[in-house]
Amino acid sequence: VEPIFTATELAEVKTYHAPKYAYSMLNTILGPLVLLLMLRFVVRPLWSLSNRLGSAFETGAAARVGLQRLAAAAETLWRGPGWASALVFSLLFFELYGLVDVPVEIWFGYVHEHAHGLARMAFGTFLLDMLKGHLVFVVALGALVFGLFGLARRTPHWWWLLGVAAAMLMVVSTALDPFRNRLYVEQTSLEPGELRKRIVALLNKAGVEFRDVVIEHTASRTVRVQAYFAGTGVTRTIVLNDSLIATFSTDEILASVAHEAGHVNESRVLSRLGSSCVLLVFLWAIERLFRWSATHRWFGIQNRADVRTLPLIVLFFATGLLVGNPVSGAFSRQRELAADQYGIRLTGDAPAFRSMLRKAARVNKMDPDPPRWVVIKGISHPPIAQRIALAQ
Ligand SMILES: [Zn+2]
């Protein structure tokens, strides 16, 4: 197999990835450590501050800003006072926990990407994206905390009720995927012509139902090429970015679409069943945490479903990910190789498939052979050199 990079290029690619690997290793150790320190030193003072702010809002400030009806409704749903304190506590906790990550995020997401010629976006755009992402997170966190703790305060059966609801919500969320990226980048329908005709023919051959083929305009932000399918059934959208259209030949574009079509046709029954079971066990374990924390009066907790258990839940979740990621990563890499094989069979054009992978690796500066531990820790795609060798 012809090497993807020259020696000089490979050295540059390795220089790009080295700090990412180092930080990933560091974060595995520091993440839980920071959480433990916060459990020990931050939870109690943060709660007393949140409780003061939240109570003040519930008992007076809400009425002053014209939100008394909303506050009354929230109190009914929550079955008593304390909902605002819970929201303030969870928000402040995550702001503090995420504070360390802000400079890291800016360095990796902006400085490092620019230094290696991968990013094109202006700093203002980068900050605006960060802010948008953060706002989405805050809204989701508020809904989750209010929903989870509010339901748990009402019934000890909350964990399986929420588990079933979450499984259904995941289906809805997948259907909405095509619209999520529009918060950040512009998408336009791929105009009629030779390329569109051939993509549609390929998808028909694969029996893939879809709504549209769109171009995502990312060239002003990044040099990276990208193709993905978003949504499911009638909402499924074939997304190709403008850099991919500009860099790849028609046959290479078809190869990447054929790979994605392989994901549509893979059986998801086992993975859906598996993730639903894991979710149920996780939620059940949270209910145990609720009871233990009340029995043992952790952080001054007296009743189950107290929001002060949230940092413990986060620690529990982070530990679970550390154990779960290698497993889900291994399954994911298996699916990627299967999608490669499917794609080659669909187009019957292995050379175009290999040159597509090579170009993607070169433009996106993929590490052809990442360290073994990085793979085991749970990367979603097999090393690109392996994929090219198998396509050979
Ligand atoms: Zn894939």
Side-chain angles (χ1 to χ4, degrees):
V1 183
E2 196 193 337
I4 305 165
F5 300 103
T6 66
T8 328
E9 287 168 347
L10 187 63
E12 147 65 12
V13 168
K14 293 287 181 188
T15 316
Y16 169 68
H17 285 280
K20 289 182 163 243
Y21 296 152
Y23 183 70
S24 162
M25 176 78 98
L26 190 72
N27 206 26
T28 309
I29 304 157
L30 280 188
L33 199 70
V34 169
L35 273 174
L36 283 173
L37 286 173
M38 285 185 82
L39 282 171
R40 175 71 186 79
F41 297 108
V42 175
V43 170
R44 280 170 185 272
L46 195 67
W47 172 249
S48 69
L49 173 72
S50 310
N51 202 14
R52 244 179 299 143
L53 291 172
S55 306
F57 183 80
E58 286 173 35
T59 52
R64 242 170 287 135
V65 289
L67 292 173
Q68 63 269 49
R69 292 179 71 171
L70 189 80
E75 191 163 319
T76 311
L77 284 172
W78 193 257
R79 279 207 173 160
W83 59 275
S85 309
L87 288 179
V88 172
F89 176 80
S90 54
L91 187 64
L92 288 180
F93 170 76
F94 276 103
E95 294 295 345
L96 266 177
Y97 182 52
L99 208 58
V100 201
D101 279 335
V102 172
V104 176
E105 220 174 296
I106 293 174
W107 192 82
F108 276 113
Y110 185 81
V111 181
H112 192 58
E113 290 288 296
H114 271 276
H116 290 270
L118 283 164
R120 281 186 184 139
M121 71 170 78
F123 192 55
T125 314
F126 176 80
L127 284 184
L128 192 65
D129 278 4
M130 257 180 91
L131 196 70
K132 280 185 201 167
H134 190 74
L135 284 178
V136 171
F137 172 77
V138 167
V139 171
L141 176 72
L144 184 74
V145 167
F146 195 86
L148 191 154
F149 288 91
L151 191 64
R153 284 163 58 86
R154 287 182 166 253
T155 166
H157 298 296
W158 71 275
W159 58 274
W160 63 264
L161 288 170
L162 194 69
V164 172
M168 290 194 286
L169 211 69
M170 267 193 263
V171 176
V172 178
S173 160
T174 312
L176 290 177
D177 272 345
F179 312 102
R180 200 159 300 138
N181 253 18
R182 292 192 194 168
L183 196 58
Y184 302 95
V185 283
E186 193 202 340
Q187 289 179 349
T188 53
S189 190
L190 175 65
E191 66 251 34
E194 181 63 18
L195 179 62
R196 189 175 179 109
K197 219 186 281 174
R198 287 190 63 189
I199 289 176
V200 170
L202 187 75
L203 292 167
N204 288 338
K205 190 180 168 193
V208 171
E209 188 182 7
F210 66 100
R211 191 177 62 91
D212 198 7
V213 184
V214 303
I215 304 179
E216 201 163 72
H217 299 273
T218 58
S220 60
R221 299 161 162 260
T222 172
V223 305
R224 283 196 167 86
V225 291
Q226 198 186 29
Y228 63 94
F229 288 8
T232 172
V234 288
T235 75
R236 181 175 295 114
T237 310
I238 316 308
V239 186
L240 307 166
N241 74 350
D242 47 4
S243 306
L244 183 111
I245 304 266
T247 327
F248 283 17
S249 71
T250 304
D251 287 335
E252 288 164 348
I253 295 172
L254 288 172
S256 65
V257 172
H259 166 92
E260 297 302 326
H263 287 307
V264 175
N265 288 313
E266 69 202 9
S267 160
R268 290 212 189 77
V269 181
L270 266 181
S271 69
R272 287 239 170 100
L273 216 64
S275 50
S276 300
C277 287
V278 170
L279 179 69
L280 269 184
V281 170
F282 177 70
L283 293 174
W284 171 84
I286 293 178
E287 172 61 23
R288 307 313 302 176
L289 264 182
F290 282 165
R291 291 182 190 195
W292 286 334
S293 59
T295 314
H296 300 286
R297 298 272 189 270
W298 291 341
F299 313 111
I301 292 171
Q302 292 182 352
N303 301 305
R304 48 175 286 288
D306 189 298
V307 77
R308 278 168 285 183
T309 39
L310 186 65
L312 267 178
I313 296 172
V314 175
L315 180 66
F316 179 59
F317 184 67
T319 317
L321 277 186
L322 209 59
V323 181
N325 278 342
V327 180
S328 65
F331 279 123
S332 167
R333 291 193 298 279
Q334 217 172 36
R335 285 197 299 270
E336 292 301 333
L337 292 180
D340 281 353
Q341 278 182 18
Y342 175 94
I344 292 173
R345 255 184 254 124
L346 185 66
T347 61
D349 189 356
F353 201 89
R354 286 197 301 273
S355 70
M356 178 274 287
L357 289 178
R358 285 176 58 87
K359 260 190 200 171
R362 290 182 59 83
V363 175
N364 292 6
K365 297 201 172 172
M366 295 179 192
D367 189 349
D369 53 343
R372 191 81 198 117
W373 69 266
V374 172
V375 179
I376 291 171
K377 194 164 169 264
I379 51 173
S380 61
H381 286 61
I384 197 81
Q386 189 195 348
R387 291 177 68 186
I388 293 173
L390 283 171
Q392 195 89 26

